[in-house]
């Protein structure tokens, strides 16, 4: 298993290209199941989760080809996928695949909408809480799907097609909103989604679906209206930049000090996080190339932050912010409201010398002058990158184990950071 070795204490200077968003790419790839024509996705990041979803879609009979590198392309340019779900040979998504990536459960929506049936394994537990699928199933049954649970599998049936309806989510859910939008696109009649998630990735998928002939309005607001159409076509779509990767590198620069341009980043996608960084003492300046992030001289000011759905501070940046606050000049408080048990990084940060007390969903962090390198273990995607951020500022060497978590969501992290002066390398085996 690969590890990452980091020797802390170097400032970051230079530029980091931001990749396409993982959390948009996955639902976009799944949306390809809604049409028998070719969907072309550009700016797709090279990530383990994308490779795994290619295999999962392949199991349904989807054919995916990846464009070769063109003259002038750099290793950071995203891939272009040509996805052809013209011939769906199997509407079952088996446990062995779905259990490896929760988002693959979402295939249930396009499969039942287009094929009239789907049999998809329940995703099972995961490292950040129970993460149920009850609201996804509620959305599908609101559109007329019959749902049955049989030996760990959800069977959804709509032999005569789905019918538009009203879906009022009792809590904001990204997965529920994706599923509802995809399913309603091919339902008969109109659908209204109330209390929809407003995450930019929802808007990106809706933009792509509209290019495919869907009639979706209001994506990006909490009320989405969809006029169902009988058929969707192929389209070409460029994946939105990854706001979580953007925020992660911004926190890394905040941690080490220095001056970095995050190329292609779109600041409006993470205003809440940039507002927090401004409070911390970081300069954030939109530029033509993306966003410039700098911290020179000033210390790290403590903050009080509560995670919430978009446009609030994202749960996917909570661990990274906590890493930053371990060296703040004073006491910070971070409250996690989206996922239970999303504090797996705390014990590992403590191994590096952080002072953190946990009380339910609230973490209190007493900033320390010095962190010290140590062996640590990555536990989930965002937790593992928080350890990298802490290690960049720790004295001496940190070895991060189990980096396959990082590879799920961060493209060439060690290359991007070392190009800006960090002492970071992957150790194979
Ligand atoms: C997505 C993101 C993930 C991010 C999260 C919140 C992807 C691939 N993943 O996850 O990175 O951290 O949004 O921004 O886009 N819930 C239920 N019942 C359901 C569904 C969800 O109770 O049927 C709960 C969850 O347990 C959680 C909350 O709703 O407490 C939000 O979950 P949701 O927004 O659906 O997260 P994901 O889509 O799984």
């Amino acid at each position: 298993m690969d590890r990452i070795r980091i020797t802390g204490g170097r400032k970051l200077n230079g530029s980091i290209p931001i990749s396409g968003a993982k959390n948009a790419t996955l639902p976009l790839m799944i949306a390809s199941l809604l049409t028998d024509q070719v969907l072309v996705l550009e700016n797709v990041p090279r990530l383990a989760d994308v490779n795994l979803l290619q295999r999962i879609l392949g199991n349904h009979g989807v054919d995916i080809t990846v464009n070769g590198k063109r003259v002038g392309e750099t290793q950071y340019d995203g891939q272009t996928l040509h996805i052809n779900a013209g011939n769906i040979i199997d509407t079952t998504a088996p446990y062995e695949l779905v259990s490896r990536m929760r988002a693959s459960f979402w295939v249930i929506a396009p499969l039942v909408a287009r094929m009239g049936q789907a049999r998809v394994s329940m995703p099972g537990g995961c490292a950040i809480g129970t993460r149920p699928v009850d609201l996804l199933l509620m959305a599908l049954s609101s559109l007329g799907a019959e749902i049955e649970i049989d030996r760990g599998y959800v069977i959804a049936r709509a032999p005569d097609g789905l019918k538009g309806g009203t879906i009022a989510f009792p809590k904001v859910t990204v997965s529920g909103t994706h599923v509802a939008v995809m399913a309603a696109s091919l339902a008969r009649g109109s659908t209204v989604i109330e209390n929809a998630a407003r995450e930019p990735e929802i808007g990106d998928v809706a933009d792509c679906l509209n290019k495919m002939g869907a009639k979706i309005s209001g994506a990006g607001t909490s009320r989405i209206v969809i006029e169902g159409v009988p058929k969707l076509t192929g389209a070409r779509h460029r994946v939105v930049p990854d706001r979580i990767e953007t925020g992660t590198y911004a926190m890394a620069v905040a941690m080490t000090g220095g001056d970095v341009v995050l190329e292609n980043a779109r600041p409006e996608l993470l205003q809440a996080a940039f507002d927090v960084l401004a409070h911390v003492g970081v300069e954030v300046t939109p530029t033509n190339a993306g966003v410039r992030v700098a911290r020179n001289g000033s210390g790290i000011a403590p903050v009080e932050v509560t995670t919430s759905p978009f446009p609030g501070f994202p749960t996917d940046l909570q661990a990274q912010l906590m890493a930053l606050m371990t060296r703040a000049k004073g006491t910070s408080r971070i409250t996690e409201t989206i996922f239970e048990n999303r504090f797996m990084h705390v014990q590992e940060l403590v191994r590096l010398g952080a002072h953190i007390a946990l009380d339910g969903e609230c973490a209190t962090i007493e900033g320390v002058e010095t962190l010290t390198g140590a062996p640590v273990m990555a536990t989930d995607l965002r937790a593992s990158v928080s350890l990298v951020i802490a290690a960049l500022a720790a004295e001496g060497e940190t070895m991060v184990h189990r980096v396959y978590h990082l590879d799920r969501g961060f493209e060439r992290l060690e290359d991007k950071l070392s190009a800006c002066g960090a002492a970071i390398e992957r150790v194979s085996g």
Side-chain angles (χ1 to χ4, degrees):
M1 256 189 264
D2 287 3
R3 289 157 290 161
I4 284 185
R5 182 192 287 134
I6 299 164
T7 306
R10 303 224 192 144
K11 290 190 173 178
L12 294 174
N13 284 294
S15 57
I16 296 180
I18 298 301
S19 301
K22 170 181 89 74
N23 284 355
T25 302
L26 301 179
L28 285 165
M29 290 173 70
I30 289 172
S32 70
L33 290 166
L34 287 165
T35 176
D36 60 3
Q37 298 180 18
V38 175
L39 176 64
V40 180
L41 295 179
E42 297 172 355
N43 199 30
V44 171
R46 291 158 221 261
L47 297 172
D49 270 8
V50 170
N51 295 339
L52 181 57
L53 186 55
Q54 287 192 38
R55 278 186 49 204
I56 292 171
L57 293 176
N59 200 54
H60 295 296
V62 178
D63 194 40
I64 302 183
T65 54
V66 183
N67 259 12
K69 216 169 123 193
R70 298 207 194 108
V71 182
E73 258 184 15
T74 76
Q75 57 174 343
Y76 295 122
D77 286 324
Q79 318 174 85
T80 299
L81 303 188
H82 295 248
I83 310 178
N84 183 345
N87 186 19
I88 292 180
I89 53 172
D90 193 345
T91 53
T92 294
Y95 175 74
E96 303 76 64
L97 294 175
V98 179
S99 59
R100 293 178 59 192
M101 184 177 43
R102 289 187 49 86
S104 61
F105 183 83
W106 307 350
V107 298
I108 195 167
L111 287 175
V112 72
R114 179 170 150 215
M115 308 301 289
Q117 60 170 22
R119 184 169 168 271
V120 180
S121 170
M122 305 269 272
C126 89
I128 54 169
T130 49
R131 299 183 91 174
V133 292
D134 55 327
L135 299 176
L136 285 63
L137 302 185
M138 179 278 272
L140 292 175
S141 42
S142 304
L143 300 180
E146 286 162 29
I147 306 286
E148 186 192 329
I149 313 279
D150 179 37
R151 284 167 289 178
Y153 278 76
V154 177
I155 301 167
R157 288 194 192 88
D160 302 322
L162 296 172
K163 295 190 299 289
T166 298
I167 302 169
F169 285 115
K171 84 196 263 191
V172 177
T173 155
V174 173
S175 53
T177 306
H178 278 310
V179 158
V181 169
M182 284 192 244
S185 294
L186 282 185
R188 275 194 316 282
S190 59
T191 297
V192 178
I193 306 173
E194 304 280 6
N195 200 23
R198 289 182 278 166
E199 270 64 6
E201 294 75 22
I202 302 279
D204 199 40
V205 175
D207 283 349
C208 177
L209 288 171
N210 282 339
K211 289 178 200 162
M212 293 163 71
K215 294 189 176 151
I216 304 166
S217 56
T221 75
S222 49
R223 187 169 193 271
I224 303 180
V225 179
I226 301 145
E227 292 298 331
V229 295
K231 202 171 160 33
L232 293 174
T233 63
R236 177 176 278 267
H237 182 77
R238 189 172 174 81
V239 180
V240 69
D242 196 314
R243 65 196 164 97
I244 303 302
E245 191 195 23
T246 306
T248 298
Y249 289 123
M251 304 261 179
V253 179
M255 186 64 151
T256 61
D259 194 335
V260 171
V261 174
L262 303 174
E263 291 168 12
N264 313 319
R266 283 182 33 198
E268 73 279 12
L269 304 184
L270 67 161
Q271 198 53 53
F274 281 148
D275 288 348
V276 167
L277 283 177
H279 185 89
V280 163
V282 179
E283 264 178 69
V284 177
T285 327
T287 69
N288 287 342
V291 179
R292 180 175 158 226
V293 180
R295 184 173 70 81
N296 291 309
S298 63
I300 298 169
V303 291
E304 299 221 348
V305 168
T306 299
T307 62
S308 57
F310 192 86
F313 188 92
T315 174
D316 285 349
L317 287 174
Q318 180 257 107
Q320 297 89 318
L321 179 67
M322 195 178 303
L324 177 60
M325 288 302 112
T326 62
R327 294 200 59 230
K329 294 191 181 315
T331 305
S332 307
R333 202 156 283 119
I334 300 181
T335 306
E336 170 60 53
T337 66
I338 310 289
F339 292 113
E340 64 204 71
N341 196 19
R342 203 175 208 187
F343 282 135
M344 309 277 280
H345 43 287
V346 168
Q347 286 317 314
E348 300 302 305
L349 290 171
V350 166
R351 288 176 54 75
L352 299 174
H355 288 183
I356 306 173
L358 275 183
D359 180 13
E361 58 182 25
C362 182
T364 304
I365 306 114
E366 297 288 344
V368 294
E369 192 71 34
T370 316
L371 298 173
T372 317
V376 288
M377 186 100 73
T379 50
D380 72 44
L381 174 55
R382 311 304 177 185
S384 45
V385 81
S386 78
L387 302 176
V388 171
I389 291 175
L392 288 172
E395 274 181 5
E397 183 181 299
T398 296
M399 188 71 91
V400 183
H401 294 264
R402 299 202 179 165
V403 298
Y404 55 84
H405 289 293
L406 270 180
D407 295 334
R408 286 189 41 219
F410 289 92
E411 188 176 22
R412 296 171 211 268
L413 171 114
E414 65 277 17
D415 293 347
K416 291 185 183 185
L417 285 171
S418 61
C420 289
I424 179 169
E425 62 175 347
R426 182 176 289 254
V427 185
S428 298

